[in-house]
């Protein structure tokens, strides 16, 4: 029998119920081998509301994983906004659209004043691709620094800076890898300094640092703020640009502000990236993303070329994004992320007292990473056992990190303390089951 995995293996087809097996086989025939399904027993999701999902048999699940429906699955106000605009018209940004302008002004008002222009895309991958294009055009250089297990997208360009997709051998020759931040971030800053100098001395030159503000794919590493302020200065001193990837950390998820990088503001000054990228959480899952940039960068980029996306910033997507921004404010979801995140962190710390397998608990707000270990060493096998056991107990979660031993906790922002209690109870049970089975 194959070992557990966060992804389904076709070696397990015979273990599935007949309806699930037949659907998986049909999917395999039509979609091919490039796609993946979660869990050793895939879930057919047919409905969602808030923090809950339901499968085809009517079984309810608690969603502890999906950050894209940021204000909750099927939020009535987002659904209404999408339907109302779709019933009117859905064109593109080459036509005047008052709501597009008004939303853009409101979005820019949440960011440092220097970030003055928005360019719309359909996804976070496209946003990071465009940000790289701008950075390379403006600097005239190619070199990029990312963290060792980073994920920044699936386009040809962003896949080359995403070692989590294909390992270190898959990255481009113009990419340099650094370890994610730990402690006060000093080692990370030193590594960025060295990598920037190495690129500057190479044929590639140094164009940009791309940093996910919570370093999610590296296993969730918030570090001790405000180290990103120092790192930003290092990048600028090396004539590079700082691209803040807020696709996962943005829109209030860290319980501090709308933006993850603002955690690093200090008495020495505010952190101001050169470009900020966002993705589908801004529209609760609608196909929308954006690059928010310094005006002078956009001006220089536009002087050398142009940018247009037919579906980037459509009226329907903007309607969804506008609804999300107002819901976050009016329903107090940033404060909820802070409060419930602290509650969860405390609860996970208590679990660690009873389960030696629970190692470090890292994170901020509703973005937490929980390491599972054996004798202090990352334990991928046990992590996968726990992920699948939680699925059987009606809780959906995933794993991340280079060793795949980190439970990734990033639920919708409406996650409540009651939801947290349910998750902690089921996690306790899953850990006990795994230990009893001698997986832990």
């Amino acid at each position: 029998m194959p070992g557990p995995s966060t992804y389904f293996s076709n070696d397990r087809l015979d273990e599935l119920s007949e309806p699930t097996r037949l659907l998986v086989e049909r999917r395999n025939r039509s979609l091919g081998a490039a796609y993946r399904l979660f869990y050793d027993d895939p879930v057919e999701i047919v409905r969602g509301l808030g923090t809950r999902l339901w499968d085809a048999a009517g079984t309810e699940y608690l969603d502890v994983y999906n950050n894209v429906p940021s204000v909750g699955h099927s939020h009535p106000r987002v659904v209404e906004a999408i339907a109302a605009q779709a019933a009117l018209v859905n064109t593109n940004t080459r036509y005047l659209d008052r709501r597009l302008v008004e939303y853009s002004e409101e979005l820019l008002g949440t960011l440092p004043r220097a970030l003055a222009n928005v360019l719309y895309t359909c996804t976070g991958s496209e946003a990071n691709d465009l940000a790289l294009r701008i950075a390379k055009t403006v600097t005239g250089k190619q070199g990029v620094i990312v963290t060792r297990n980073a994920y920044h997208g699936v386009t040809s360009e962003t896949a080359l800076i995403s070692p989590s997709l294909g390992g270190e051998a898959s990255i481009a020759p113009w990419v340099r890898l650094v370890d994610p931040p730990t402690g006060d971030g000093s080692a990370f800053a030193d590594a960025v300094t060295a990598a920037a100098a190495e690129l500057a001395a190479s044929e590639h030159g140094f164009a940009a640092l791309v940093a996910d503000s919570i370093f999610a794919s590296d296993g969730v590493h918030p570090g001790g703020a405000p180290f990103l302020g120092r790192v930003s200065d290092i990048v600028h001193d090396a004539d590079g640009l700082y691209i803040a990837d807020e696709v996962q950390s943005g829109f209030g998820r860290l319980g501090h502000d709308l933006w993850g990088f603002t955690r690093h503001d200090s008495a020495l000054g505010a952190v101001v990236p050169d470009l900020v990228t966002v993705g589908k959480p801004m529209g609760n899952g609608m196909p929308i993303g954006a690059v928010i940039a310094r005006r002078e960068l956009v001006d220089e980029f536009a002087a050398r070329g142009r940018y247009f996306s037919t579906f980037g910033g459509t009226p329907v997507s903007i309607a969804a994004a506008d609804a999300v921004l107002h819901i976050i404010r009016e329903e107090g979801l940033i404060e909820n992320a802070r409060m419930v995140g602290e509650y969860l962190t405390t609860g996970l710390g208590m679990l660690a007292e009873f389960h030696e397998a629970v190692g470090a608990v890292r994170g901020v707000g509703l973005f937490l990473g929980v390491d599972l270990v054996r004798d202090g060493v990352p334990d991928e096998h046990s992590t996968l056992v726990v992920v699948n056991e939680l699925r059987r107990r009606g809780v959906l979660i995933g794993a991340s990190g280079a060793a795949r031993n980190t439970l990734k906790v990033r639920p919708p922002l409406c996650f409540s303390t009651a939801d947290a209690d349910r998750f902690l109870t089921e996690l306790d049970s899953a850990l006990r089951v795994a230990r009893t089975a001698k997986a832990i």
Side-chain angles (χ1 to χ4, degrees):
M1 177 184 292
S5 173
T6 52
Y7 295 117
F8 175 72
S9 167
N10 285 319
D11 293 339
R12 292 183 175 272
L13 272 171
D14 291 341
E15 301 174 25
L16 303 178
S17 66
E18 185 176 5
T20 301
R21 178 179 58 79
L22 292 174
L23 185 56
V24 170
E25 289 174 340
R26 289 171 60 193
R27 173 189 162 104
N28 288 344
R29 285 193 296 270
S30 57
L31 273 64
Y35 280 93
R36 299 288 185 270
L37 284 164
F38 282 138
Y39 310 116
D40 56 19
D41 184 6
V43 187
E44 182 186 358
I45 298 298
V46 299
R47 185 166 66 92
L49 185 65
T51 59
R52 302 294 195 275
L53 292 165
W54 286 266
D55 68 15
T59 303
E60 177 197 285
Y61 297 86
L62 176 66
D63 188 355
V64 188
Y65 180 76
N66 287 295
N67 63 316
V68 170
S70 54
V71 298
H73 293 280
S74 305
H75 193 292
R77 287 177 60 184
V78 179
V79 172
E80 181 182 359
I82 292 169
Q85 184 59 53
L88 293 174
V89 71
N90 198 31
T91 53
N92 60 67
T93 55
R94 282 178 168 158
Y95 299 98
L96 279 174
D97 180 354
R98 187 174 301 275
R99 193 173 197 177
L100 169 70
V101 175
E102 291 173 348
Y103 173 76
S104 300
E105 291 171 341
E106 191 166 6
L107 181 66
L108 290 170
T110 69
L111 290 144
R113 177 173 286 184
L115 296 167
N117 286 164
V118 189
L119 297 89
Y120 289 98
T121 66
C122 299
T123 68
S125 292
E126 289 181 19
N128 281 324
D129 191 284
L130 177 58
L132 285 174
R133 185 176 158 199
I134 293 171
K136 291 183 176 185
T137 299
V138 170
T139 64
K141 312 294 184 183
Q142 294 291 313
V144 174
I145 301 170
V146 296
T147 49
R148 196 160 301 281
N149 201 53
Y151 171 75
H152 295 291
V154 295
T155 67
S156 294
E157 183 85 346
T158 56
L160 292 174
I161 65 165
S162 297
S164 65
L165 287 178
E168 294 188 13
S170 68
I171 65 168
W174 38 264
V175 173
R176 295 295 181 271
L177 302 179
V178 296
D179 289 332
T182 57
D184 65 1
S186 295
F188 177 69
D190 292 342
V192 170
T193 300
E198 182 182 333
L199 281 170
S202 75
E203 60 183 317
H204 311 295
F206 175 47
L209 164 75
V210 185
D212 162 10
S213 300
I214 193 69
F215 302 92
S217 293
D218 290 284
V220 187
H221 291 270
F227 68 87
L228 274 179
R230 179 186 169 198
V231 171
S232 176
D233 290 341
I234 290 167
V235 170
H236 291 148
D237 288 345
D239 296 324
L241 300 178
Y242 165 35
I243 301 172
D245 182 342
E246 292 277 332
V247 172
Q248 296 195 66
S249 59
F251 288 95
R253 176 151 298 277
L254 304 191
H256 168 77
D257 185 74
L258 271 180
W259 311 112
F261 66 83
T262 62
R263 285 183 56 242
H264 297 265
D265 291 349
S266 71
L268 298 177
V271 176
V272 184
D274 300 290
L275 302 110
V276 174
T277 58
V278 291
K280 288 181 287 295
M282 74 187 292
N284 216 46
M286 281 296 288
I288 185 169
V291 176
I292 304 128
R294 294 177 182 269
R295 186 184 304 278
E296 61 270 23
L297 299 181
V298 176
D299 287 347
E300 186 168 350
F301 175 70
R304 303 186 191 186
R306 63 187 180 92
Y307 172 74
F308 173 69
S309 171
T310 302
F311 287 101
T314 65
V316 171
S317 293
I318 291 297
D322 185 58
V324 166
L325 196 56
H326 285 87
I327 290 165
I328 289 173
R329 289 171 174 165
E330 294 166 19
E331 296 188 3
L333 295 185
I334 296 176
E335 174 61 17
N336 186 70
R338 183 196 65 77
M339 180 188 70
V340 179
E342 290 177 354
Y343 184 85
L344 261 175
T345 301
T346 299
L348 290 165
M350 293 173 66
L351 277 184
E353 296 178 5
F354 294 95
H355 296 281
E356 293 181 357
V358 178
V361 178
R362 298 178 300 275
V364 187
L366 282 175
F367 210 139
L368 304 176
V370 184
D371 288 348
L372 297 187
V373 299
R374 183 197 292 266
D375 299 326
V377 177
D379 191 349
E380 176 187 0
H381 179 81
S382 297
T383 305
L384 302 180
V385 169
V386 168
V387 167
N388 283 291
E389 180 63 26
L390 283 170
R391 174 254 182 271
R392 284 186 278 275
R393 292 173 172 272
V395 176
L396 303 183
I397 197 171
S400 71
R404 294 204 303 171
N405 72 308
T406 303
L407 298 177
K408 186 188 287 185
V409 180
R410 53 168 198 187
L413 297 177
C414 52
F415 204 73
S416 67
T417 53
D419 292 332
D421 285 336
R422 177 178 170 186
F423 167 58
L424 291 167
T425 297
E426 298 299 351
L427 177 58
D428 177 52
S429 297
L431 290 165
R432 292 176 188 275
V433 167
R435 184 172 61 199
T436 301
K438 297 184 180 180
I440 291 182

